[in-house]
Amino acid sequence: MLNALTRKHQLEHMSKFEYDLLIIGGGITGAGIALDASMRGLNVALVEMQDFSAGTSSRSTKLIHGGLRYLKQMQVNVVRETGRERAIVYENGPHVTTPEWMLLPFHKGGTFGEFTTSLGLKVYDALAQVDKNERRNMLSKKEVIERVPNIKTDGLRGGGHYVEYKTDDSRLTIEVMKKAASYGADAVNYVKAEGFLYDNGTVTGITATDVLKNETYEIKSKAVVNASGPWVDEVRANDQAGKQTKKHLVHTKGVHIVFKQEDFPLTQAVYFDTKEDGRMIFAIPRAGKTYVGTTDTFYGEQKENPTADAEDKTYLIDAVNFMFPDLNLDVSKIESSWAGIRPLIQSGSKNASDISRKDEIWHSTSGLITIAGGKLTGYRHMAEEITDEVSEYLKKHHKMHLKKVSTKNEPVSGGKVGGSVGYQNYVDNISRKAPSYGLSLDEGHVLAMKYGSNAEAVYQYAGITNNNHEKYGLSKPLYAEVIYGILHEMVIKPTDFFVRRSGKLYFEIDDVLMYRSGVEQLLQDTLGFGDEVKNKYSKELDAAIEDTRR
C-alpha cells in the first residue's frame, strides 16, 4: 500500500533491508518494472525524486496508441509492438483506458490521400491485430462533415475512421504502482538517488535523500535499474565506478493546450496534418473540454516542470485554425496547458519528430542497468524486457533463478472488473451500493468509472466522514478521494492530488480554484505538517496554476 502516513517508517525499513532490485524512477516504466519483478518473486524497492509520474508520465498526449505516424516513417516494429500492447493495456485497466474513435480526414494536397489513408489504416489494423469490431472504415466527405461540422471543407475528400485508446497517463502509472505494492514492492515518492554504493566496483545500492525531510538513507540492493526518464544521463553520471555506453539522450518537448467546448466544440476526435510542416496532431474531446497536441521540438532547458511557451501555443492554434477555419481561436481562449519532455535516444536526426521511439537497455561495467527511450503504450513490454535482463544479472552474479511470469493478463490495481467486456456491468452494479455510503447514484457512478474495483474503498471514506467534509468545504466524493489518495496513493502535496491523481488542473481548473483551500487544510490536518510546510506546498500549487494558465 502506498500510504503517506507510514512513509517515514517505510523508508526506515528500506534502509535496513537488502533488496533484490532497486529501481530509480517512478514513472510508468519504473512502475511497470516494479510490477513485473515483484510478480517474479523479487524483493523490490523504488524511489522517485518527485511525485510518482511527475515527469513525462503525466505530461503525454494521454493516448494509448499504436502510432500511425510511425508507420509513415516506416518504423514498422514500433507500430507492431505498441499496436498490440494497446489491447493489453485496455484489457488490464479499462477504468483508466477507453476506446476512442479517431477521424483522419484527407484533403487535396494533404499528407494523406484516400488510397494512402485506406492502405495505411489497413496495414495498421493488421500489424496491431485489431479486433474486427474496431477495424478502420472509410468515410465520405459528407460523413466526415456530419461528424465534424466545423472542419475545413475546402479540398476535403473524405476520411478514415479507426480506434485508438484514451487514457489518464498519471492514473495508469499509479494503478500499476499500487499493483506492484500489492505484490510487496516498496515504492516511495520524493526520495532522490544522490549516488551509488559499491563493493569492489560493483553497484550494491544507493545513497538517497528524502527531499521532504532532508534526511539521508542508504538503500542496498543486489541489482539497480535506472529508469529515470529524462534524467537517465544525470543518474548515469553519478555512477563513478562504471564505464557507460557512449549513447545518450536527446530531449524533445511536447505541448498540449485545452479549450472549453463552447470555444472549440468537438465530439469526434480528429487526427490531422498541419499547414506549416505537415506534422500530425490530435484534437480530442475530454471531460467537457477539447485538448490539442502535440508539438515536437528539441529541448535542452530545465527538465522539471517544463511549460508551454508562446511559440508552442501559436503553432498549435495556427494548426487548429487552419483545419477548423470558423473557430478563429487565439491564445486568450486557452484555458490550460501542459508540456512534457520525451527522453529519446540520440540518432543524429535533425528533425525531432523523426527520432525513433524505440527503447534500449544499456549496461554499465559497474552493473547498473539503464532503460532509455520508449513510449507510454509499450511500458509493459519494456518492463518485461528489462526484468529479463535483471533476471540474467542475478543469475550470473548471485546464483538466483527466477520464475518466468507474464503481466499480459494481470489487471492493474482497480482493474478486476471482468475485463473490457464486463467493465460497464461492474460499474453499474457497484454504483448501486453508493447510497449505502451516503453518496448519490451519479456520484457513485463517477467514482466507479475512475477507480474501477477500488471504488468501494473510496465509497467507505465517504461513508465515515460524519459530515467532516463540510468542515473543509468539500463534497463527500472529493473528501473521500483525498483521504483515499493519502492512504492508498501516497498523496502528500496539493499538487499530487490536483495535478496527477485527479487531473483537475488540466480539465477542471475551476474545481482547483474552488476547493484548493479545503484540500490543503485536509492534507495538513491528516498528515500533521506545520504551517510553514503548508505554505510552501500552497506556493507550489500557485506556481502549477500559473504555469498551466500562463
Side-chain angles (χ1 to χ4, degrees), residues 491-500 516 519-520 523 529 534 537-538 540-541:
V491 166
I492 298 169
K493 301 180 179 184
T495 48
D496 299 342
F497 180 75
F498 283 123
V499 182
R500 289 169 288 278
R516 62 171 295 180
V519 171
E520 288 169 358
L523 288 171
F529 48 73
K534 179 188 175 186
Y537 293 169
S538 183
E540 290 179 3
L541 181 56

Side-chain angles (χ1 to χ4, degrees), residues 225-245:
V225 165
N226 171 17
S228 55
W231 291 269
V232 153
D233 287 339
E234 284 83 346
V235 171
R236 292 199 301 158
N238 288 333
D239 181 14
Q240 301 298 322
K243 184 178 180 181
Q244 311 289 340
T245 175

Side-chain angles (χ1 to χ4, degrees), residues 124-360:
Y124 184 67
D125 284 347
L127 288 173
Q129 295 182 339
V130 174
D131 286 343
K132 187 175 181 179
N133 63 340
E134 293 185 351
R135 291 176 187 167
R136 69 98 173 95
N137 55 83
M138 301 303 293
L139 305 178
S140 66
K141 175 180 177 178
K142 179 181 177 182
E143 289 171 321
V144 169
I145 295 172
E146 286 174 351
R147 284 173 168 79
V148 190
N150 50 14
I151 199 166
K152 179 167 74 81
T153 57
D154 185 25
L156 179 64
R157 300 291 179 83
H161 209 217
Y162 70 105
V163 169
E164 296 286 20
Y165 293 88
K166 187 162 55 180
T167 191
D168 183 326
D169 49 5
S170 192
R171 284 219 58 81
L172 174 62
T173 301
I174 199 67
E175 297 292 31
V176 176
M177 195 77 75
K178 285 156 64 180
K179 188 67 173 186
S182 76
Y183 277 97
D186 289 327
V188 187
N189 53 3
Y190 296 109
V191 174
K192 183 178 182 180
E194 303 278 12
F196 292 96
L197 305 174
Y198 298 95
D199 182 7
N200 293 323
T202 299
V203 168
T204 58
I206 63 170
T207 57
T209 299
D210 178 356
V211 299
L212 301 180
K213 303 289 186 180
N214 196 28
E215 295 173 346
T216 302
Y217 298 87
E218 290 187 352
I219 305 175
K220 298 178 181 178
S221 180
K222 296 181 180 71
V224 180
V225 165
N226 171 17
S228 55
W231 291 269
V232 153
D233 287 339
E234 284 83 346
V235 171
R236 292 199 301 158
N238 288 333
D239 181 14
Q240 301 298 322
K243 184 178 180 181
Q244 311 289 340
T245 175
K246 293 183 179 179
K247 287 188 176 182
H248 63 84
L249 295 185
V250 292
H251 301 110
T252 68
K253 184 172 72 167
V255 166
H256 302 78
I257 53 179
V258 182
F259 301 93
K260 294 179 180 178
Q261 273 275 330
E262 61 197 60
D263 293 322
F264 191 168
L266 192 70
T267 57
Q268 162 71 66
V270 183
Y271 187 37
F272 61 97
D273 50 355
T274 63
K275 178 182 179 181
E276 181 177 324
D277 54 14
R279 285 191 67 255
M280 303 296 295
I281 63 175
F282 294 98
I284 303 171
R286 185 183 188 125
K289 307 292 170 68
T290 297
Y291 72 98
V292 179
T294 179
T295 59
D296 202 354
T297 54
F298 287 115
Y299 183 80
E301 303 167 44
Q302 172 68 27
K303 290 191 281 292
E304 292 184 35
N305 302 317
T307 57
D309 59 32
E311 185 177 357
D312 298 322
K313 294 177 180 180
T314 298
Y315 173 87
L316 291 175
I317 286 176
D318 287 348
V320 170
N321 284 333
F322 172 68
M323 187 55 62
F324 305 89
D326 295 336
L327 295 181
N328 295 315
L329 294 174
D330 58 44
V331 291
S332 68
K333 299 295 185 181
I334 298 175
E335 185 176 64
S336 63
S337 65
W338 71 88
I341 301 172
R342 305 179 190 89
L344 307 177
I345 300 166
Q346 177 192 24
S347 68
S349 174
K350 295 181 180 180
N351 189 326
S353 297
D354 291 336
I355 302 176
S356 173
R357 268 54 176 172
K358 184 74 177 69
D359 59 283
E360 289 189 21

